[in-house]
């Protein structure tokens, strides 16, 4: 070959670059060719390789970008493939075989499916990628890259190699148009990232600065990730495609430039790939599902929603759910309002007798009959009624929307036989009134049917009253004998009603100044009187102190040095301690006696005291005073224990 031939060959080889630098792109006629096949790229699966979820996401996005950037294929967006897998109820890409691949291809209108796997072999990793033709369901190409580092960088190199090899297999060369003096900007997933560009090696460099409208975008130069925005670095002069990618919510952007030694600044605008969706309902508080996935409740607002078509469902207990298809376009705000139709009715439950506990659909309601349940789902409900001493009833009730069904039930009683006899405390039979559970049923002796349960039976014999609880079983015969308690507590004596002569006999000269003439007095009702004086020990246990002067004889001696007001207060406190009625109302020095019928401790009246002290005597005195009492003549001027005189 001559020198001139060699020179002509060199010019022919480098002339396209010379034309580009001069700003005069060469034109060429490109023969008609079929459009690139559509490929659905499944996510990479990992076997014994540990990689963070965000790193896996970046690598899957990078695989899609590399496959679309080689110009040989039209690649389905990754989110569309994920939605197709979800439709097939497939959680992992590795689980998709045969018919699954074909269904996914039909869903996203793809002719081929690419499945990629990375696994560890010793200290290195292997990346294998298989491409399937969906019409024949055959493997039409496999690529393997060995000895990769088991890291994100290693996987990135493997992805680049896999994409380049599949592009070479296709025999197609689809590239974006070249614009001299600054280049063009492309948007979207299927962009040419310039992986096929090869620049002549030179020592001349320029500074490349890249800015994006979204911070943190990943920058690619001729398909290779070089950093994030804002980006600046030295590069060899030549032809480059600068692209940026941030996430699925923004379209990728790319710009082709010719970098000279003067450098270049590239500004890329990543356009939103999302809109917003607001969902409201009447009534509010309904659950919102998007493509079957619960996302919140109304009112619901999704400010960044990936552009696409979704099934929006709104549902709420006791209302009919509603579903509509909603399309979100880039930058569009969509509002959707749902009016939910009530899907409930009610049940009114009554029973004879009332008071039955209500269980609804095997859940205790805490209500008893009669009761109404106004908001129940339409359909069949099970109502169970339970009442003590009655048989259980279970009923099925069908609820229709907008209506209230009435359930009326007659409960069957469970009965037993109860017989009651009453006796005085000494065993003497007696008759009197009888109440059962607070209701008068006649008198004793009693025999009759009662509900099979525990009853409170109260019997009276004269002035005596006694209450007992008795269990009556179903079909049982229960005899009950009630013996009245001794009406006289320990330490007291019962003073019967009666008439006596009160006062001193004889004329006025025979009486003390504070004594009156004898008068016939009638005690109309019996009463209890303590057999001894109140002791110092009894006083201290109630009042907490001992006012007595004679304290050496101990707690058994009578308390002294107390006023009438002190005695009244003692009676009130003793009544309160034993749960009895307080017989006096005290307001300072004012004291009101509630009456002789008071059921508590009180001081005897003058007539009661003299009537009891006479013990039936009608004489001027109460008997031999020395025999029955201590006083100043026989006491030795000291106090004595109570109960020593009889």
């Amino acid at each position: 070959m001559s020198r001139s031939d060699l020179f002509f060959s060199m010019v022919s080889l480098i002339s396209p670059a010379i034309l580009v630098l001069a700003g005069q792109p060469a034109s060429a006629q490109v023969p008609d060719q079929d459009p690139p096949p559509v490929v659905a790229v499944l996510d990479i699966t990992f076997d014994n390789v540990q990689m963070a979820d965000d790193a896996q996401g970046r690598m899957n996005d990078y695989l899609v970008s590399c496959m679309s950037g080689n110009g040989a294929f039209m690649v389905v967006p990754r989110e569309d493939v994920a939605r197709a897998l979800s439709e097939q109820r497939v959680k992992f890409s590795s689980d998709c075989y045969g018919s699954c691949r074909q269904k996914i291809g039909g869903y996203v209108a793809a002719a081929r499916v690419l499945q990629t796997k990375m696994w560890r072999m010793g200290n290195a990793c292997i990346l294998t990628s298989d491409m399937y033709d969906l019409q024949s369901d055959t493997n039409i190409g496999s690529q393997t890259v060995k000895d990769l580092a088991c890291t994100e960088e290693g996987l990135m190199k493997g992805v680049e190699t896999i994409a380049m090899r599949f592009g070479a297999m296709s025999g197609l060369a689809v590239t974006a148009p070249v614009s001299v003096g600054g280049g063009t900007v492309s948007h979207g997933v299927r962009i040419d990232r310039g992986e096929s560009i090869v620049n002549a090696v030179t020592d001349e460099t320029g500074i490349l600065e890249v800015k994006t409208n979204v911070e943190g975008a990943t920058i690619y130069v001729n398909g290779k990730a070089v950093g994030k925005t804002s980006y600046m670095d030295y590069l060899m002069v030549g032809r480059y495609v600068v692209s940026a990618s941030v996430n699925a919510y923004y379209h990728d952007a790319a710009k082709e430039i010719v970098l000279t030694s003067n450098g270049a600044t590239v500004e890329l605008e990543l356009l939103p790939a999302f809109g917003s969706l607001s969902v409201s309902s009447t009534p509010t508080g309904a659950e919102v599902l998007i493509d079957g996935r619960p996302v919140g409740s109304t009112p619901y607002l999704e400010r960044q929603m990936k552009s696409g078509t979704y099934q929006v469902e709104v549902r709420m207990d006791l209302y009919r759910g509603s579903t509509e298809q909603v399309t979100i376009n880039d930058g569009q705000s969509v509002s959707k309002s749902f009016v939910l139709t009530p899907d409930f009715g009610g049940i009114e439950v009554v029973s004879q007798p009332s008071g039955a506990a209500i269980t609804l659909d095997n859940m205790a309601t805490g209500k008893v009959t009669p009761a109404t349940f106004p908001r129940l789902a339409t359909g069949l409900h099970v109502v169970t009624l339970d009442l003590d001493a009655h048989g259980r009833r279970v009923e099925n009730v069908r609820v229709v929307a907008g209506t209230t069904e009435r359930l009326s039930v007659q409960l069957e009683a469970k009965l037993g036989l109860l017989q009651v006899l009453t006796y005085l405390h000494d065993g003497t039979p007696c008759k009197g009134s009888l109440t059962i559970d607070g209701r008068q049923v006649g008198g004793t002796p009693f025999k009759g049917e009662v509900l099979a349960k525990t009853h409170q039976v109260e019997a009276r014999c004269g002035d005596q009253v006694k209450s007992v609880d008795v269990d009556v079983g179903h079909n049982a015969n229960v005899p009950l004998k009630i013996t009245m308690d001794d009406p006289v507590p320990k330490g007291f004596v019962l003073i019967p009603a009666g008439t006596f002569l009160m006062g001193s006999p004889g004329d006025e000269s025979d009486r003390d100044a504070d004594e009156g003439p004898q008068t016939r007095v009638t005690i109309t009702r019996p009463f209890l009187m303590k057999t001894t004086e109140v002791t110092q020990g009894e006083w201290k246990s109630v009042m907490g102190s001992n006012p007595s002067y004679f304290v050496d004889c101990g707690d058994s001696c009578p308390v002294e040095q107390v006023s009438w007001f002190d005695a009244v207060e003692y009676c009130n406190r003793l009544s309160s301690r034993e749960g009895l009625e307080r017989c006096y109302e005290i307001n300072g020095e004012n004291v009101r006696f509630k009456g002789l019928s008071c059921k508590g401790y009180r001081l005897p009246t003058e007539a009661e005291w003299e009537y009891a002290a006479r013990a039936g005597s009608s004489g001027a005195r109460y008997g031999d005073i020395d025999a029955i009492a201590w006083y100043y003549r026989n006491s030795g001027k000291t106090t004595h224990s109570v109960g020593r005189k009889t």
Side-chain angles (χ1 to χ4, degrees):
M1 179 181 295
S2 66
R3 292 175 58 89
S4 59
D5 291 337
L6 178 60
F7 178 77
F8 177 78
S9 299
M10 292 177 64
V11 170
S12 299
L13 287 172
I14 67 173
S15 59
I18 295 173
L19 288 173
V20 168
L21 292 175
Q24 299 176 0
S27 61
Q29 297 294 326
V30 180
D32 293 338
Q33 58 184 8
D34 293 333
V38 179
V39 178
V41 178
L42 303 186
D43 283 355
I44 303 168
T45 59
F46 297 88
D47 185 356
N48 198 26
V49 178
Q50 300 296 324
M51 189 169 293
D53 291 343
D54 58 343
Q56 293 184 24
R58 288 194 296 271
M59 289 298 97
N60 285 314
D61 288 338
Y62 191 53
L63 175 60
V64 170
S65 297
C66 289
M67 288 299 296
S68 62
N70 64 25
F73 306 102
M74 297 178 65
V75 180
V76 177
R78 186 181 169 210
E79 60 268 24
D80 292 347
V81 176
R83 191 176 295 115
L85 284 169
S86 177
E87 288 290 329
Q88 302 305 314
R89 304 293 191 268
V90 175
K91 187 174 182 181
F92 300 105
S93 301
S94 58
D95 297 332
C96 189
Y97 305 98
S99 61
C100 170
R101 289 193 292 260
Q102 292 179 338
K103 289 180 180 179
I104 289 176
Y107 188 91
V108 297
R112 300 179 184 180
V113 169
L114 184 71
Q115 288 184 284
T116 306
K117 180 178 181 180
M118 185 180 193
W119 74 86
R120 181 182 295 274
M121 182 71 71
N123 294 325
C125 279
I126 299 174
L127 186 69
T128 299
S129 192
D130 298 299
M131 184 174 291
Y132 295 88
D133 179 78
L134 296 180
Q135 185 174 2
S136 60
D137 194 27
T138 57
N139 187 328
I140 59 174
S142 296
Q143 298 294 335
T144 300
V145 182
K146 300 180 179 180
D147 298 325
L148 294 172
C150 297
T151 62
E152 185 175 355
E153 292 182 356
L155 180 54
M156 180 181 290
K157 292 180 180 179
V159 166
E160 292 171 352
T161 302
I162 290 288
M164 182 183 65
R165 290 179 182 176
F166 275 117
M169 285 178 55
S170 69
L172 297 175
V174 181
T175 60
V178 177
S179 177
V180 178
T184 60
V185 176
S186 301
H187 298 93
V189 174
R190 302 179 183 90
I191 61 174
D192 178 10
R193 296 188 185 272
E195 290 94 335
S196 60
I197 295 176
V198 178
N199 288 308
V201 178
T202 177
D203 292 333
E204 193 174 3
T205 62
I207 298 175
L208 174 64
E209 181 181 5
V210 184
K211 301 178 180 179
T212 60
N213 62 316
V214 180
E215 290 297 323
T218 300
I219 303 302
Y220 300 87
V221 176
N222 285 353
K224 182 177 181 180
V226 295
K228 295 183 180 295
T229 53
S230 294
Y231 169 81
M232 181 182 292
D233 201 357
Y234 288 100
L235 290 180
M236 183 179 67
V237 298
R239 175 184 165 211
Y240 295 98
V241 174
V242 181
S243 59
S245 176
V246 60
N247 55 40
Y249 289 94
Y250 288 88
H251 292 293
D252 293 353
K255 189 172 186 178
E256 185 172 347
I257 66 167
V258 174
L259 181 66
T260 69
S261 59
N262 293 327
T265 298
V266 178
E267 295 185 359
L268 297 176
E269 181 181 8
L270 288 83
L271 299 179
F274 63 86
S276 67
L277 173 66
S278 64
V279 183
S280 61
S281 70
T282 303
T284 61
E287 184 182 21
V288 180
L289 298 92
I290 297 180
D291 289 343
R293 179 174 59 88
V295 295
S297 59
T298 57
Y300 172 78
L301 175 62
E302 180 63 61
R303 298 185 183 276
Q304 282 194 342
M305 191 164 184
K306 191 77 172 69
S307 299
T309 299
Y310 302 90
Q311 294 294 325
V312 178
E313 179 183 359
V314 174
R315 64 189 184 188
M316 190 176 191
D317 288 345
L318 305 180
Y319 289 85
R320 294 188 180 97
S322 182
T323 303
E324 290 194 25
Q325 183 171 288
V326 177
T327 298
I328 305 295
N329 296 317
D330 293 353
Q332 180 185 18
S333 296
V334 177
S335 297
K336 201 67 187 173
S337 180
F338 294 83
V339 177
L340 301 180
T341 303
D343 191 25
F344 61 85
I347 300 178
E348 179 187 4
V349 186
V350 297
S351 69
Q352 294 296 331
S354 61
I358 304 172
T359 300
L360 186 61
D361 297 330
N362 295 320
M363 294 289 292
T365 65
K367 294 184 177 182
V368 298
T369 57
T372 301
F373 302 88
R375 292 170 63 89
L376 297 176
T378 57
L380 196 64
H381 293 271
V382 180
V383 179
T384 304
L385 301 182
D386 289 288
L387 181 63
D388 193 16
H390 291 77
R392 167 177 283 190
R393 280 291 295 272
V394 180
E395 298 287 341
N396 294 327
V397 181
R398 185 169 296 278
V399 172
V400 179
T403 65
T404 298
E405 303 297 324
R406 190 174 193 272
L407 175 63
S408 182
V409 175
Q410 180 69 46
L411 299 176
E412 183 178 354
K414 295 180 179 180
L415 302 174
L417 184 65
L418 177 64
Q419 302 179 73
V420 183
L421 298 176
T422 52
Y423 301 86
L424 296 175
H425 72 282
D426 60 1
T428 303
C430 63
K431 296 181 179 181
S433 62
L434 185 72
T435 61
I436 298 179
D437 299 328
R439 184 172 61 89
Q440 186 77 36
V441 297
T444 57
F446 170 83
K447 181 179 181 179
E449 284 189 323
V450 296
L451 292 175
K453 64 174 187 175
T454 300
H455 296 277
Q456 185 182 61
V457 179
E458 182 180 277
R460 286 181 176 271
C461 280
D463 292 334
Q464 292 296 100
V465 180
K466 188 170 185 178
S467 296
V468 297
D469 292 336
V470 59
D471 292 324
V472 179
H474 186 207
N475 294 328
N477 184 351
V478 179
L480 176 63
K481 294 182 179 181
I482 300 178
T483 300
M484 301 296 158
D485 295 329
D486 188 346
V488 182
K490 184 178 180 180
F492 285 79
V493 63
L494 178 64
I495 309 298
T499 301
F500 75 107
L501 290 174
M502 181 177 176
S504 296
D507 56 25
E508 187 175 352
S509 61
D510 295 329
R511 299 192 299 270
D512 291 338
D514 59 350
E515 293 180 334
Q518 281 193 326
T519 304
R520 186 171 296 276
V521 176
T522 299
I523 303 299
T524 59
R525 58 194 306 157
F527 61 93
L528 294 171
M529 179 169 280
K530 197 171 185 300
T531 57
T532 68
E533 300 92 334
V534 175
T535 67
Q536 295 180 26
E538 291 170 334
W539 183 275
K540 284 191 296 185
S541 69
V542 174
M543 305 297 286
S545 63
N546 184 8
S548 303
Y549 177 78
F550 297 101
V551 296
D552 294 339
C553 67
D555 289 345
S556 62
C557 290
V559 67
E560 10 94 7
Q561 304 296 323
V562 297
S563 69
W564 181 83
F565 289 100
D566 294 336
V568 165
E569 179 62 23
Y570 173 81
C571 291
N572 271 358
R573 291 195 187 184
L574 184 60
S575 297
S576 297
R577 189 176 72 172
E578 298 187 9
L580 301 175
E581 182 183 0
R582 294 165 64 97
C583 293
Y584 302 94
E585 290 183 0
I586 304 175
N587 184 14
E589 293 296 316
N590 298 319
V591 178
R592 186 180 72 86
F593 177 49
K594 294 183 179 180
L596 298 178
S597 61
C598 175
K599 304 297 183 182
Y601 292 97
R602 62 178 175 83
L603 299 176
T605 66
E606 183 180 2
E608 288 174 336
W609 190 92
E610 185 169 335
Y611 176 61
R614 284 184 177 275
S617 171
S618 59
R621 298 188 181 277
Y622 315 124
D624 183 358
I625 190 68
D626 288 330
I628 63 174
W630 298 106
Y631 67 111
Y632 70 94
R633 290 180 180 174
N634 67 351
S635 64
K637 297 184 180 180
T638 186
T639 189
H640 296 268
S641 297
V642 301
R644 296 296 179 87
K645 296 284 188 177
T646 57

